[in-house]
Amino acid sequence: MATETVPVQTVEQPKTPEEIERHWFENVYAGDRMRQLTLRAVIMGMGLGAIMSLSNVYVGLKAGWGLGVAITSSILAFAAFSTLHKLFPKAFPEFSILENNAMASCASAAGYMTGAGLVNAIPALMMLQPDAVPGMWVLMAWMGVLSLLGVFLAVPAKRQMINIEQLRFPSGIAAATTLRPLHHEGGGAAARQARSLGIAVVLGSFITWFRDANAAWMKVSLWGQSGFGWTRVSPPASWPRWVAAPISWIQYPHVPSTWLPGDWNPGWWHIGKYRMRQDLTLSFEGSLLFVAAGAIMGMRQAWSLMLGTVINFGVLAPIMMAAGIIPESGGSALRRISSWSLWIGVPMMVTSGLLLFILQWKTVARAFSTITVLFKPRHSSVAEDPMDRIEVPGSWFIGGMTVLGITTVILGMRFFHIHWWMGVIAVLMTFLLVVVAGRSTGETDITPTGPLSKITQLTFGALAPGNITTNLMTANITAGACTHAGDLLTDLKSGYLLGAKPRQQFIAQFFGVLVGTAVVVPVFFVLIPNASILGTDQWPAPAAQVWRGVAELLAKGVSALHPTARIGLVIGGTLGIVLALLERAFPKHKRFIPSATGLGLAFTITAYYSVSMFLGALLAAGLHKANRKMAEEYVVPVSSGIIAGESLMGVAIALLAVTHFLEP
């Protein structure tokens, strides 16, 4: 009788951390055979990062968020160096994929410098206690130290979260996925994207100049009362003839800041007795910046913004103005309305953000369990671990955290009058929260700086009741460090997939922080010379409004609010919780559930921003449906180009106004 042989199933034993890392080192790592941290990569990264950091200052003060930098900078750098290589092959050898990765790390660090407080904690402090805001050099040192603290605090998490656990970090995967075809397939798509981005930059720049440039030597002829018209350059007699004669021929369109069709007819566009554009900010904007932002942000956030805008500016504001609760005059329309409406929007965003964070308790638990693993000694069967020479050494982490942590405490004591022991608590809390932020970024692609900073605000609301400066600036420590830790870990993920040397990416991040600090703080003071223009139509600063609202509420208590604002606070907070629970309960129907962030944000920004973003999202969704391939190739670069063009020209106009070449 034949004997049937049953194959023995072998169960693969789980690999040890050392085996996982050695497999990567032997099969993926390319840092020893390919250029990575070169001078040209650093210079290009610093240059692109500086430019994009200006864009993020402009957009952050208007909309409250920053735009991704890594992918856009990678496309631009590849296109630039590919052109130079074709023209001068000996002087410019081929730009390697790891050089591009190091360049992107540098550019991304510079681009995200606004997250170190420049669009949230610092303008909030300016609005509440302007005398407590230190000078430019102090803020540069403060923001630089917080950002570098976040970079160092990410070091111990890297090997555990990226090497061992292989967390996804979706934006890091997207960056690596973008780089591979660029460098391996000749970059035909990259050239088209770079070209479209460049055209969009020019378009955005022209629109901003047509709208915002103003001087005595510019003569504007309006077409009726629409706000549109024609601008003619009319040089003063004091200008040299050889200069004045040729430029006197220059003419170009004039674009209004806001407009409505037929707005010149007094009977049109009213809600009750209130003019939609002038009194309620319900209009179209003479700009494509937020149309482009809406194209990138997605449909759910955009329609949530539009819903909140209709409720706030179309329904609640007219009722409250008629009742005398919101003043009908005095200051900008947005400042008058948002001083009441932010007590609906802010609690909605805070409660939903905190609840969604708490509902990710498994992620939080894993993050804190990671802390014990980070400092657990590794046992290797080989005498020397090859990873030790390419990873960032633990001694760098200990030295960096010690020096930067002490420096943070000293700066807080000296310039913000934070008690030393509170500064120590803030730094230690930040280390724990950075681990949570890193894991959340790895699992969800969202760095929860908002909820985490609110944890710090609530903590110091109890430790230092009534102290607004301490409340804001300790939370600034958390937000600044978490932003840069999440950014570095995302960059390290793309480097891990491409086989880069982590230590060199870490160093590239340093250069980005330095150039970003040197650029964004002076520009911030040019754009925002004093607190009077914050919270206006020009600079709504919605992120700062949220920070301001929490700090003010913790300092003064609910009793200081108008009774209707207290009701709004309860409704907004409750609605934030309900929407967060619905989002978790019905994930498949999430697109039909309003986003609490989008809905709440509409109560803190001007209405025409929301209108523009909704239109942009509609256009992008229509293009995706009509031609998905074209949309995937062009929506992001064209939108990024328009945003960069408008914001950079806006900064340039502000600088020219300082020199009195233009009028503010």
Side-chain angles (χ1 to χ4, degrees):
M1 187 173 76
T3 304
E4 184 177 0
T5 304
V6 180
V8 179
Q9 286 188 326
T10 58
V11 179
E12 184 180 351
Q13 295 297 320
K15 292 181 178 179
T16 65
E18 290 76 15
E19 290 172 338
I20 294 172
E21 290 189 328
R22 177 165 286 278
H23 179 270
W24 175 85
F25 183 81
E26 292 175 349
N27 295 278
V28 180
Y29 177 63
D32 290 338
R33 60 179 185 271
M34 194 181 297
R35 292 186 305 274
Q36 185 174 341
L37 189 64
T38 59
L39 180 61
R40 63 178 182 172
V42 171
I43 292 173
M44 179 63 79
M46 292 174 74
L48 291 175
I51 292 170
M52 293 186 177
S53 68
L54 293 177
S55 181
N56 273 346
V57 173
Y58 191 89
V59 175
L61 288 170
K62 284 185 174 288
W65 63 75
L67 301 164
V69 171
I71 293 177
T72 301
S73 63
S74 295
I75 293 171
L76 290 174
F78 177 83
F81 281 117
S82 294
T83 302
L84 290 171
H85 176 62
K86 290 176 183 177
L87 296 174
F88 312 103
K90 291 184 178 180
F92 293 93
E94 190 173 345
F95 193 54
S96 77
I97 191 170
L98 295 191
E99 281 184 292
N100 208 342
N101 180 243
M103 183 285 308
S105 297
C106 181
S108 184
Y112 278 112
M113 277 307 301
T114 52
L118 213 56
V119 299
N120 42 49
I122 293 164
L125 186 61
M126 288 182 75
M127 286 188 278
L128 292 173
Q129 294 184 346
D131 293 337
V133 179
M136 181 180 73
W137 294 105
V138 173
L139 275 186
M140 288 173 69
W142 174 255
M143 290 178 57
V145 167
L146 297 188
S147 300
L148 292 176
L149 180 65
V151 171
F152 274 100
L153 291 179
V155 168
K158 188 268 177 182
R159 291 186 75 168
Q160 178 63 28
M161 294 183 184
I162 295 177
N163 297 14
I164 308 305
E165 296 185 50
Q166 306 276 317
L167 297 185
R168 286 187 56 78
F169 290 93
S171 288
I173 293 176
T177 304
T178 301
L179 285 173
R180 284 196 182 106
L182 282 182
H183 289 267
H184 297 157
E185 298 173 11
R192 293 192 298 272
Q193 289 175 319
R195 188 162 49 249
S196 65
L197 190 148
I199 294 171
V201 167
V202 174
L203 174 63
S205 300
F206 277 136
I207 290 174
T208 305
W209 181 269
F210 295 164
R211 182 186 67 244
D212 294 341
N214 182 40
W217 44 271
M218 295 179 181
K219 305 300 181 184
V220 178
S221 302
L222 295 178
W223 301 334
Q225 300 180 39
S226 65
F228 290 93
W230 201 256
T231 300
R232 181 174 59 85
V233 175
S234 179
S238 59
W239 285 23
R241 183 174 178 80
W242 63 272
V243 174
I247 68 172
S248 62
W249 291 88
I250 297 176
Q251 298 184 44
Y252 52 83
H254 173 75
V255 178
S257 297
T258 58
W259 61 280
L260 280 171
D263 191 35
W264 55 88
N265 188 323
W268 291 16
W269 305 114
H270 281 62
I271 296 178
K273 67 176 182 177
Y274 301 109
R275 298 166 298 175
M276 288 176 60
R277 182 172 67 86
Q278 295 92 334
D279 299 327
L280 300 171
T281 75
L282 281 164
S283 64
F284 298 110
E285 188 182 13
S287 167
L288 293 179
L289 189 150
F290 285 102
V291 174
I296 295 174
M297 75 167 12
M299 197 63 212
R300 179 174 177 243
Q301 291 286 359
W303 75 256
S304 300
L305 271 167
M306 195 65 209
L307 176 62
T309 297
V310 171
I311 294 171
N312 184 35
F313 294 95
V315 179
L316 296 179
I319 293 173
M320 294 301 161
M321 290 168 73
I325 296 168
I326 295 176
E328 294 184 351
S329 60
S332 71
L334 175 66
R335 176 171 282 184
R336 287 185 278 107
I337 294 170
S338 66
S339 64
W340 177 84
S341 65
L342 69 84
W343 298 111
I344 300 174
V346 169
M348 193 186 308
M349 290 187 281
V350 171
T351 56
S352 67
L354 285 174
L355 180 58
L356 287 172
F357 178 72
I358 292 168
L359 291 174
Q360 295 177 4
W361 63 270
K362 292 181 180 178
T363 296
V364 178
R366 287 194 295 271
F368 285 111
S369 68
T370 299
I371 295 174
T372 60
V373 179
L374 297 181
F375 301 102
K376 186 177 180 181
R378 294 174 182 269
H379 302 288
S380 180
S381 58
V382 295
E384 181 182 355
D385 185 354
M387 299 294 290
D388 287 342
R389 68 179 179 84
I390 64 172
E391 293 283 2
V392 179
S395 58
W396 291 18
F397 160 71
I398 295 171
M401 181 176 177
T402 302
V403 172
L404 292 168
I406 292 173
T407 305
T408 300
V409 172
I410 293 172
L411 289 175
M413 289 173 57
R414 174 67 179 82
F415 297 107
F416 300 109
H417 309 293
I418 301 171
H419 292 299
W420 70 267
W421 60 272
M422 291 187 183
V424 171
I425 290 174
V427 171
L428 293 177
M429 277 185 66
T430 296
F431 169 66
L432 299 177
L433 295 176
V434 158
V435 177
V436 177
R439 181 165 289 278
S440 177
T441 306
E443 294 184 358
T444 68
D445 206 31
I446 297 172
T447 306
T449 51
L452 293 176
S453 62
K454 297 303 167 285
I455 290 173
T456 309
Q457 277 194 275
L458 293 172
T459 300
F460 284 90
L463 293 176
N467 192 327
I468 287 176
T469 303
T470 295
N471 186 278
L472 288 171
M473 301 321 288
T474 51
N476 185 194
I477 297 172
T478 298
C482 287
T483 296
H484 278 271
D487 177 54
L488 175 59
L489 288 170
T490 299
D491 292 338
L492 289 171
K493 176 66 177 186
S494 62
Y496 180 82
L497 295 172
L498 298 171
K501 185 179 289 187
R503 191 177 300 186
Q504 294 193 356
Q505 285 186 271
F506 176 85
I507 296 170
Q509 200 90 1
F510 258 70
F511 286 105
V513 168
L514 293 176
V515 72
T517 303
V519 169
V520 298
V521 178
V523 168
F524 172 82
F525 279 105
V526 170
L527 298 177
I528 313 294
N530 56 68
S532 64
I533 58 176
L534 288 168
T536 63
D537 293 357
Q538 183 182 10
W539 303 113
Q545 297 281 16
V546 175
W547 284 59
R548 168 198 165 192
V550 174
E552 203 169 18
L553 187 63
L554 291 172
K556 298 180 180 179
V558 177
S559 59
L561 301 178
H562 188 278
T564 58
R566 291 179 221 163
I567 296 171
L569 188 148
V570 173
I571 293 173
T574 304
L575 193 56
I577 293 171
V578 170
L579 291 175
L581 292 174
L582 288 173
E583 188 175 316
R584 291 283 292 190
F586 304 102
K588 293 182 179 179
H589 304 286
K590 186 176 177 179
R591 68 184 186 276
F592 301 114
I593 301 170
S595 160
T597 301
L599 195 63
L601 185 63
F603 287 78
T604 65
I605 64 175
T606 189
Y608 50 77
Y609 286 173
S610 299
V611 172
S612 294
M613 285 187 273
F614 179 66
L615 292 175
L618 274 179
L619 289 171
L623 183 58
H624 270 279
K625 190 170 183 179
N627 192 328
R628 186 178 185 86
K629 184 178 180 181
M630 178 183 287
E632 290 175 350
E633 185 167 325
Y634 288 110
V635 165
V636 171
V638 170
S639 299
S640 299
I642 290 172
I643 292 168
E646 288 218 25
S647 54
L648 292 174
M649 182 57 76
V651 172
I653 289 172
L655 294 173
L656 290 172
V658 171
T659 64
H660 303 292
F661 182 76
L662 296 177
E663 295 176 2

